[in-house]
Amino acid sequence: MNTFEILQGDMTLESFEPRYNISPSVRNTLVTSNEDGGLTRIPIIRPGLGHRRMLKSAIWPLIPIWAPAQVPKYSTANARSETMTSKASYHHAWKKSQRCLIPATGFYEWQNMTHHRYKQPWHIRHGNREVLSFAGLWERGQTLDGQEFESCSIVTTQANDLMAEIHNSNYRMPVIVDPECWDQWLSCDNEAALRLAVTYPDGQLTADPISTRINNPNYNRSDCLEPVELPA
């Protein structure tokens, strides 16, 4: 946990069970309580008292401030950097500078295969670091039984050259924040933060094709990460 220099709270990344295949919470699911195991919760790092970094558990995707305690029927798993400043779902979080870091060891994307009728999944990770930090937005809400909860969205932007080859349908990728910019993303003004929500440079990420077993959302084993050979 020293990676992120968490200075407030008792939670550590080890508090979260390793997940090799994770999907956003099912749409329209009610948030009945913080003990509800039917929702996807992921770690986020956000400023706490005195701007000290704290680790929290947040529902994924973001539930807008004006919405009831229910996962939206439309996707809020990813917030486009180009529209998050004005789009109704994210406007409150952006206006209040409710920005966070979302740690992960890697992420998946699917490639349209020209000569095959399926999408090839890829595992993408950083070439020099074990942990990536995605830029995120977070929001507060209240469960049906009156408890406070937090939810989050991953900020995305245009793909770099590597990701454009892989995510060749929408040409998007997560905004990745390097350690020297963590404090800026968490605490600077919105105008400066927006300048960080940019495409990650080429040459820093590595990608491996993996088995289509990742397409089963209930399959959560480490062999999801094992590289495979691409079909001819």
Side-chain angles (χ1 to χ4, degrees):
M1 199 61 249
N2 291 335
T3 300
F4 290 94
E5 298 179 353
I6 302 300
L7 299 176
Q8 184 178 348
D10 300 326
M11 187 176 291
T12 66
L13 280 179
E14 288 72 25
S15 306
F16 293 84
E17 181 181 353
R19 298 286 296 273
Y20 302 98
N21 191 0
I22 188 167
S23 302
S25 304
V26 175
R27 300 180 191 184
N28 292 324
T29 302
L30 291 172
V31 185
T32 56
S33 75
N34 279 326
E35 285 69 50
D36 186 352
L39 293 159
T40 300
R41 288 180 167 84
I42 60 176
I44 66 169
I45 297 157
R46 66 165 180 81
L49 295 174
H51 295 288
R52 292 177 295 177
R53 295 178 194 161
M54 66 185 306
L55 180 68
K56 300 283 286 185
S57 175
I59 294 170
W60 186 42
L62 185 142
I63 299 175
I65 187 69
W66 41 262
Q70 186 174 17
V71 178
K73 63 181 179 181
Y74 50 88
S75 177
T76 53
N78 296 328
R80 295 174 68 94
S81 60
E82 300 90 339
T83 58
M84 66 184 177
T85 62
S86 58
K87 193 170 183 179
S89 297
Y90 313 111
H91 179 69
H92 179 267
W94 178 257
K95 183 179 178 180
K96 295 294 185 181
S97 300
Q98 292 176 180
R99 300 185 297 268
C100 62
L101 299 169
I102 300 174
T105 55
F107 61 100
Y108 303 122
E109 286 295 358
W110 282 257
Q111 180 184 37
N112 286 324
M113 304 293 284
T114 304
H115 303 296
H116 300 275
R117 292 186 175 180
Y118 75 98
K119 290 186 176 184
Q120 173 62 51
W122 289 74
H123 174 226
I124 301 99
R125 65 192 188 281
H126 201 283
N128 301 318
R129 289 193 289 273
E130 293 184 4
V131 178
L132 290 167
S133 302
F134 302 143
L137 296 176
W138 66 275
E139 190 58 271
R140 286 192 178 93
Q142 193 172 68
T143 65
L144 294 181
D145 64 359
Q147 303 175 68
E148 185 177 280
F149 70 86
E150 295 178 6
S151 61
C152 67
S153 178
I154 297 170
V155 178
T156 67
T157 189
Q158 295 180 354
N160 61 18
D161 289 346
L162 172 68
M163 292 306 303
E165 290 185 22
I166 295 172
H167 200 204
N168 57 356
S169 56
N170 294 327
Y171 303 101
R172 305 292 295 177
M173 69 179 299
V175 170
I176 298 170
V177 184
D178 281 336
E180 60 268 23
C181 296
W182 288 347
D183 284 335
Q184 284 181 271
W185 176 254
L186 292 176
S187 304
C188 68
D189 62 71
N190 283 348
E191 184 176 344
L194 197 57
R195 291 195 291 269
L196 296 175
V198 295
T199 303
Y200 202 64
D202 281 299
Q204 302 296 309
L205 303 176
T206 61
D208 295 305
I210 57 174
S211 169
T212 54
R213 65 171 64 98
I214 194 69
N215 295 341
N216 178 358
N218 297 318
Y219 194 89
N220 182 37
R221 293 174 55 179
S222 60
D223 60 2
C224 285
L225 308 180
E226 295 176 0
V228 299
E229 291 188 11
L230 289 175

